[in-house]
Structure formats: structure tokens, C-alpha cells
Amino acid sequence: MHLRLLSLGYGNVGQALVRMLAEKEAELREQYDLTFGYAGIYTRSSGGLVLPDLSPADLGEAGWPYTLEGGSELGPVADILAFIRETPADVVLELTALDPHSGQPATDHIRAALEAGKSVVTANKGPIAYACRELRQLATERGLALRFESTVLDGTPIFDLAEFCLPATRIFGFQGPLNSTSNYVLSRMAVGEPLEQAVRGAQQLGVAEANPAYDLDGWDASVKATVLANVLMGADLQPADVRRDGLGAEAMRAAQARLQPGQTLKQMVEAEEQGGEVAARVYLAPLPSTDVFAHLSGMETGLRLRTDTMGELTLIEGEGGPGQTAFGVVADLVNIARRPNPLPPSLRGKGQ
Ligand SMILES: NC(=O)c1ccc[n+]([C@@H]2O[C@H](COP(=O)([O-])OP(=O)(O)OC[C@H]3O[C@@H](n4cnc5c(N)ncnc54)[C@H](OP(=O)(O)O)[C@@H]3O)[C@@H](O)[C@H]2O)c1
């Protein structure tokens, strides 16, 4: 199978994906008979470009911003939704920046792609947090795929695990330190570094949002909690429904000062069923040394699922980033090729 891709956003993740598709070209072709070409790219500042089904290797070599030989150049796009509809792509990649307060304009991008008969892979969690039911229903009605493995813990297989490896399983809760910036900052504070300096360190490493309050105040974690609760537990939450208790810079300093010997402070996400409803929250937790999450350092993150078949299952991601996120997109693309009819049986009734 050959899939033509339209990349909306071409930043850290978009470019890491091109490198990975080029590096893994032989494995993908030999193991899955799968090849890729780029039909287009769109970015906020440079505009849009329709490409001639260009191979990832050629696109990677051309660099960025890309100028097509012969004169066709990136240019402003008057109507991004028309550009999405009209670019001859099979799969639209939603790799634009997250707006944690609305999920836009990425939600509109995905709706336009699905309405135009194109499957979608998104690493942007906003649309899945704000419009999961609507978008999944639209994809189902059109017989298209909507995959989003990279939206939580980069490419760590959470949704694939639930879909392919946990048949007939009910997930009734989850917990974990999901925001790498907060946990990096807390681990630096634990060795005496001031919070502001630790935040600057996270920004220099390229992990913190430009506005670190998105991380420290729990917005990033709330969006992730919403995605997990809605997809894995069939909830119908919005990020504002996630309780954010005692977060932010001041609370971090105070909680760090109150720690008892042997405790480690983490920003945790938690969800559980209460009387048929799913409640989720983000909070600062002083973890005892017996908790595996207390031993995660720096930007490491983790997730514990509570299930009725396997009891507790814990996933830990070493330090992630654009490469791991790009891998999640590759996994989603392989799954689209392996299952052209995308209705995921184990998740069909959940979150829709
Ligand atoms: N980086 C990671 O490790 C990671 C991990 C998990 C998930 N994600 C998610 O993956 C997505 C991409 O992340 P990234 O690190 O690649 O971000 P990035 O480096 O900031 O790149 C974002 C890209 O999206 C474009 N863009 C932003 N807003 C846009 C808009 N309204 N319309 C069209 N294009 C727009 C930007 O264009 P300009 O440069 O022209 O503004 C840029 O090309 C984000 O949603 C992020 O939350 C990232």
C-alpha cells in the first residue's frame, strides 16, 4: 500500500517523522509492503505547498523551508480547510501546536479532512480532548481512520495496548505523572535548584511550553487526563471538568518544603469511576519511596491502568520527545495500512 500524506504543521514532530520514515523505509516496505509520499505541507508562518508525492528521503534532504524545483513555492493559503479538502492525500497528519483551551484550529482541520474522505493521524491532543466523540463518530460513519497514539506519553503504546492487547477489558481508573516539564522542574527543586532556574532549564531542553504555566498549572495534564478518560473509560469530559488542585509555582514551592524524608513530589493525574461517572484530577502528590513513580527522574513519565482483567498495568517512558512522538505517528500509519477498515472493535463502544 502507498499512502500520500498531508502534514499540517512541520515543526519538531513533523520533521522527526520525515527522518523516521526515511530511516525506516526498508523495514516498512519489506515488513508491511508500505510506502509513503508527501502530497503537501502547511505551516502557520510559511503557508501551504502541494508536493508531487515526494518521498520522505527526498523531502528530508530538501530541508525546510522547502522550495520545489521549477518554481512552485510555499505560499499563503487563503482557506486552510479548502487546502485540506483539495490536496490529494490519503492521510492528513495533524501536527500543529496545541491550544489547550479550545483544541482549535486543529479540530476544524480534522473535521475537514474526514469530511473530505481522508483518514487522520493526530499528535495534537486538543481535538481528541475537546471533540473525541464527534470526530470518532464522523470517522466511523465514513469508514475512515482517526488515530492518536502520540497524544499521551509520546509514542508509548497506550491506545494500541487497550485496543489490541486488552480484549474484553474494563479500565476503571488510571494514575500517573504525565507532564514531563513539571516533573523535571520538581526533580531539580528536590536538589535545591530554584523553580525559575529549573523552568528555564526545561525551556532550554525544548520540553516546556513557551508559556510554562500550561505545564505547572496543570493544563497540559488536564488535556491528557481528558483524552485518557474519554477514550479508555468511555467518559465524556472536557478539560475544564478535570479538577486542578493546589498547582502552580507557589504550591510547588510550598509542597516541596513540606516533604517528609523519603518522599518525592510529583505532579500526578488520576481518574476513577464514582457512581457511574468518571472523575479526574491533577494534583501534587508526595509519593513514598515504595511507589514506582517516585523513582522516575528528570523528564520520565508513567501511567498505571487499573483493569478488571490484568489488575494494575504500569507503563513507564524514559525521556521522550519528538522522535518518540514521530514513532507513535508511524505506528498509527502502519495500523491504518494493516486495517484499512479502521473500526477498532475493542474501542467501538467506548467514547462514542
Ligand atoms: N514535541 C513533542 O515531543 C510532542 C510530544 C507529544 C505530542 N506533541 C504534539 O505534537 C504537535 C506538534 O508538536 P511540535 O513539537 O512539532 O510543535 P512545533 O515544533 O511548535 O511545530 C508546530 C508546527 O505547527 C505549525 N502551526 C502552529 N499553529 C498552527 C496553525 N494554527 N495552523 C497551521 N500550522 C500551525 C507551526 O508553524 P509555524 O512554525 O509556522 O508557526 C509548526 O510548523 C503539538 O500538538 C504537540 O502538542 C509533541
Side-chain angles (χ1 to χ4, degrees), residues 15-164:
Q15 293 176 46
L17 176 66
V18 167
R19 286 193 294 276
M20 187 168 284
L21 289 175
E23 278 163 25
K24 296 284 178 186
E25 192 271 339
E27 286 92 335
L28 291 165
R29 188 169 27 78
E30 285 158 18
Q31 294 172 19
Y32 303 104
D33 193 23
L34 183 56
T35 55
F36 296 96
Y38 275 76
I41 292 178
Y42 174 80
T43 73
R44 178 169 43 192
S45 53
S46 303
L49 175 68
V50 176
L51 293 166
D53 198 15
L54 195 69
S55 76
D58 286 346
L59 179 56
E61 206 163 290
W64 185 255
Y66 179 84
T67 304
L68 190 63
E69 219 171 286
S72 174
E73 291 184 8
L74 275 159
V77 169
D79 181 350
I80 175 61
L81 303 184
F83 182 77
I84 292 169
R85 282 193 294 272
E86 286 158 22
T87 301
D90 305 298
V91 182
V92 171
L93 308 171
E94 177 30 81
L95 308 176
T96 68
L98 166 71
D99 179 339
H101 299 303
S102 73
Q104 291 288 19
T107 301
D108 288 344
H109 296 166
I110 294 179
R111 192 183 294 113
L114 294 170
E115 283 171 352
K118 297 165 165 70
S119 288
V120 172
V121 174
T122 179
N124 185 338
K125 51 193 167 286
I128 305 303
Y130 283 94
C132 175
R133 283 186 185 214
E134 178 217 325
L135 296 175
R136 293 180 79 195
Q137 189 170 342
L138 184 57
T140 301
E141 282 166 10
R142 307 283 167 118
L144 297 164
L146 169 62
R147 303 199 72 87
F148 41 82
E149 188 60 83
S150 293
T151 53
V152 181
L153 296 198
D154 309 319
T156 305
I158 296 169
F159 303 110
D160 284 352
L161 178 84
E163 182 178 343
F164 299 123

Side-chain angles (χ1 to χ4, degrees), residues 107-307:
T107 301
D108 288 344
H109 296 166
I110 294 179
R111 192 183 294 113
L114 294 170
E115 283 171 352
K118 297 165 165 70
S119 288
V120 172
V121 174
T122 179
N124 185 338
K125 51 193 167 286
I128 305 303
Y130 283 94
C132 175
R133 283 186 185 214
E134 178 217 325
L135 296 175
R136 293 180 79 195
Q137 189 170 342
L138 184 57
T140 301
E141 282 166 10
R142 307 283 167 118
L144 297 164
L146 169 62
R147 303 199 72 87
F148 41 82
E149 188 60 83
S150 293
T151 53
V152 181
L153 296 198
D154 309 319
T156 305
I158 296 169
F159 303 110
D160 284 352
L161 178 84
E163 182 178 343
F164 299 123
C165 307
L166 294 174
T169 293
R170 192 167 72 88
I171 295 171
F172 53 85
F174 60 81
Q175 189 187 39
L178 297 182
N179 179 261
S180 44
T181 298
S182 296
N183 291 312
Y184 173 82
V185 170
L186 288 168
S187 68
R188 299 305 305 161
M189 289 169 75
V191 294
E193 201 169 294
L195 180 139
E196 295 74 13
Q197 193 180 328
V199 168
R200 277 196 298 278
Q203 284 171 328
Q204 275 156 14
L205 289 168
V207 290
E209 298 282 345
N211 176 358
Y214 280 178
D215 296 306
L216 305 190
D217 292 354
W219 278 109
D220 171 79
S222 299
V223 176
K224 286 175 176 159
T226 305
V227 170
L228 290 170
N230 290 354
V231 176
L232 299 180
M233 299 173 70
D236 190 15
L237 300 182
Q238 293 282 299
D241 299 329
V242 177
R243 262 177 45 211
R244 293 179 301 110
D245 291 336
L247 298 164
E250 268 320 307
M252 287 163 76
R253 282 193 201 95
Q256 193 77 40
R258 279 197 306 270
L259 278 189
Q260 301 294 313
Q263 291 182 330
T264 304
L265 194 63
K266 294 281 177 197
Q267 188 201 77
M268 298 290 281
V269 169
E270 187 174 80
E272 60 181 341
E273 270 183 28
Q274 289 171 350
E277 298 286 312
V278 176
R281 67 176 178 138
V282 184
Y283 60 107
L284 292 175
L287 300 180
S289 61
T290 48
D291 190 318
V292 68
F293 292 144
H295 300 278
L296 301 192
S297 63
M299 290 176 292
E300 292 175 338
T301 47
L303 178 68
R304 182 181 298 129
L305 301 177
R306 298 212 307 279
T307 76

